[in-house]
Amino acid sequence: MIHNKKKLGAVLLSSALLLGACGSADDNGQTEVAEPTTTTEENTDTDKNTNEMTENHDTHEGGHEDMEHDESGEVPEGMKEAENPTYPVGSEVVIENDHMAGMKGAKGTVVGVFDTTAYEVTYKDTKTGEKVANHKWVVHEELENAQDGPYQAGDEVVLEASHMPGMKGATATIDSAEKTNVYMVTYTDTETGEEIENHKWMSEDELSKAE
C-alpha cells in the first residue's frame, strides 16, 4: 500500500513538471508550446512606422513647406491688373493663410494685384516624383495652352508656373477654381525674420489690413 502511494505521488509530480514545461495539450493529446509574441509585435510596429514614413514622404498637403520661393517677381504674359482691389499695391497687410511655415500672421506689403482665376491643384513634383496635394495657388495664365474659359474641378492640366521647384511642366489635376484677385506680397517670415520677396500667390480673403 505504501509502495503504491509512493508510485502515485511520483506520477503526479512528473505530470505537473511536464505540464509546467510544455504548456497545454490539444484535443488530440498533442502538447502545444506557447509561441513568444514579442518579435511579431515588434515587426508589426516597424511595418506600421515604415508605412507612415512612406506616406508622409510621398505626399505633401497644401504646398512645399520645406522648399524655396521664387522671388523673381516675374508674372506670366496676359495677366490683367485688378481694378479697385481691396488692397492696392503698396498696402500693408497681414497674411492669414498658412501655406508655408512662417507665413501665417506675417506682415507684408502688396507688390502686385491681378484679376484672374486661381486654382488649387494636385500634381507630381518633376524633380522628386513626390505627390503635392492641394497646392494653392496656380493662376489661369500659368497653365500650358490654357483654354479661354476657366477650368473645372477634375480637369487635367500642365503647369507652366515656376514659383516652386519641380512645378514647371508637371501634370496636375484641378481641385478647385476661384475667380478672384490674386496678390503678390513681400513679407517677413515669422519664424526666421527673413524677408520673402514677391511671393505668388495669395487670394484676397487670405489677407487682412495691417493695423
Side-chain angles (χ1 to χ4, degrees), residues 85-87 110 112-113 181-185 199 201-204 207:
T86 301
Y87 309 106
V110 174
V113 193
N181 290 335
V182 295
Y183 290 79
M184 184 161 56
V185 179
H199 177 79
W201 301 98
M202 299 179 194
S203 62
E204 200 157 85
L207 301 173

Side-chain angles (χ1 to χ4, degrees), residues 58-162:
D58 288 343
T59 306
H60 292 292
E61 298 291 337
H64 303 260
E65 290 78 3
D66 57 346
M67 286 186 152
E68 297 179 357
H69 304 256
D70 171 17
E71 301 183 65
S72 67
E74 296 179 0
V75 298
E77 292 183 8
M79 291 202 73
K80 185 173 72 173
E81 293 186 3
E83 297 180 4
N84 303 315
T86 301
Y87 309 106
V89 172
S91 298
E92 299 297 316
V93 294
V94 176
I95 299 173
E96 301 296 341
N97 70 47
D98 57 354
H99 296 173
M100 303 181 75
M103 181 175 284
K104 187 174 178 63
K107 293 184 177 181
T109 303
V110 174
V111 294
V113 193
F114 303 89
D115 180 12
T116 187
T117 300
Y119 299 101
E120 182 179 351
V121 297
T122 293
Y123 67 96
K124 181 173 288 187
D125 189 303
T126 61
K127 294 184 180 296
T128 66
E130 294 179 354
K131 179 181 177 182
V132 182
N134 310 113
H135 176 83
K136 297 180 179 179
W137 300 95
V138 174
V139 299
H140 189 79
E141 293 78 7
E142 292 174 324
L143 304 181
E144 185 179 276
N145 300 320
Q147 63 186 27
D148 292 337
Y151 291 91
Q152 305 297 321
D155 289 345
E156 190 172 277
V157 296
V158 176
L159 305 179
E160 282 293 312
S162 58

Side-chain angles (χ1 to χ4, degrees), residues 44-54:
T44 301
D45 290 341
T46 302
D47 291 342
K48 181 179 179 182
N49 292 337
T50 301
N51 290 337
E52 290 176 352
M53 289 175 65
T54 301

